[in-house]
Amino acid sequence: MNLNSEFSDYQLIQLVKAGDHNAFSEIYNRYWGILYGHCLKMLKDEAEAQDVVQDLFMSLWAKSAELDVKTNLLGYLYITGRHKVLNTIRKRKTSDKFIEALGAYAATNNDSVIDQINERELAAAIEAEIKNLPQKMREVFEYSRKEYLSHREIADQLGISDKTVKKQVANAIRILRLRLTVPATLLIMVTWYLNK
């Protein structure tokens, strides 16, 4: 039997402030369904409602030490959830306006301009991911793809075997392909860059 289920909200809050995980779980189990229903009613989207409630409880735990609930706990959670829902709706509207503006721009402007922007963004994304490769692998990859050295030349320069160079380049390509999530239209450019 869960002893925390016998505690009042006030007692649970005091335990959570002291870092009690079981008390936090009790609050979560006690109020998750109510809050989810409230958020779902406002957002009309199950995934968004779940995200908001999850975010609400994560914030509650993260700020538990300074938690100062003056009214009842459900009222506090309800108001906090409402603020998070309103922020989600605001973000959704901003995102929708951005997508509309981008669509209007695309409809009235030359596709080549958008392609150039996409290429620049893609090149920047590839460069950022290359920088995240392990140092030796990055060095081998850059010699291969930026300085166009052969495997033999890279091996001589770094004092390693051709086989190691080949393996490092193959591993770098595999890692970059996994990390780079791009629209299908840009996939051809990624493949070209990684395999050139």
Side-chain angles (χ1 to χ4, degrees):
M1 180 179 159
N2 182 1
L3 296 175
N4 289 327
S5 64
E6 304 296 320
F7 291 150
S8 69
D9 286 353
Y10 179 79
Q11 290 169 315
L12 289 172
I13 291 167
Q14 299 315 307
L15 290 168
V16 167
K17 285 176 81 165
D20 188 315
H21 291 273
N22 292 328
F24 178 77
S25 293
E26 177 58 31
I27 291 172
Y28 182 88
N29 293 332
R30 197 176 280 186
Y31 293 118
W32 188 93
I34 296 167
L35 293 167
Y36 171 73
H38 168 66
C39 293
L40 182 60
K41 201 179 291 182
M42 291 175 70
L43 289 168
K44 310 271 190 275
D45 183 287
E46 290 180 7
E48 279 186 330
Q50 286 175 0
D51 287 347
V52 166
V53 176
Q54 200 66 26
D55 185 45
L56 168 62
F57 280 106
M58 284 176 17
S59 296
L60 180 70
W61 179 254
K63 297 175 183 173
S64 61
E66 65 258 14
L67 196 59
D68 187 25
V69 179
K70 302 229 187 287
T71 59
N72 68 29
L73 179 59
L74 181 58
Y76 171 83
L77 293 171
Y78 180 85
I79 290 166
T80 305
R82 189 165 169 268
H83 287 297
K84 289 186 179 297
V85 164
L86 293 174
N87 284 340
T88 300
I89 290 170
R90 252 185 244 113
K91 285 179 194 169
R92 187 197 287 168
K93 284 182 180 174
T94 303
S95 174
D96 289 348
K97 284 180 184 173
F98 174 75
I99 289 168
E100 281 177 29
L102 188 60
Y105 176 82
T108 59
N109 288 283
N110 188 338
D111 286 342
S112 66
V113 174
I114 294 171
D115 290 341
Q116 287 170 6
I117 292 169
N118 286 339
E119 282 184 44
R120 279 198 302 273
E121 287 175 357
L122 177 61
I126 290 171
E127 283 305 314
E129 290 303 335
I130 289 171
K131 285 183 178 138
N132 288 331
L133 291 172
Q135 183 182 350
K136 203 64 160 173
M137 186 183 293
R138 184 181 71 237
E139 199 175 354
V140 169
F141 186 78
E142 286 181 334
Y143 276 133
S144 172
R145 293 308 191 261
K146 292 183 179 177
E147 297 187 25
Y148 307 105
L149 298 181
S150 70
H151 289 176
R152 175 81 263 155
E153 291 169 323
I154 298 169
D156 290 343
Q157 184 132 355
L158 297 177
I160 55 178
S161 71
D162 290 8
K163 201 172 190 178
T164 302
V165 170
K166 188 174 182 179
K167 188 174 181 184
Q168 290 280 33
V169 169
N171 286 341
I173 290 170
R174 184 179 48 77
I175 290 168
L176 292 172
R177 278 190 180 139
L178 288 173
R179 289 183 184 165
L180 288 165
T181 53
V182 294
T185 55
L186 297 180
L187 192 56
I188 295 166
M189 287 188 288
V190 172
T191 305
W192 174 80
Y193 182 85
L194 296 178
N195 290 322
K196 69 182 180 180

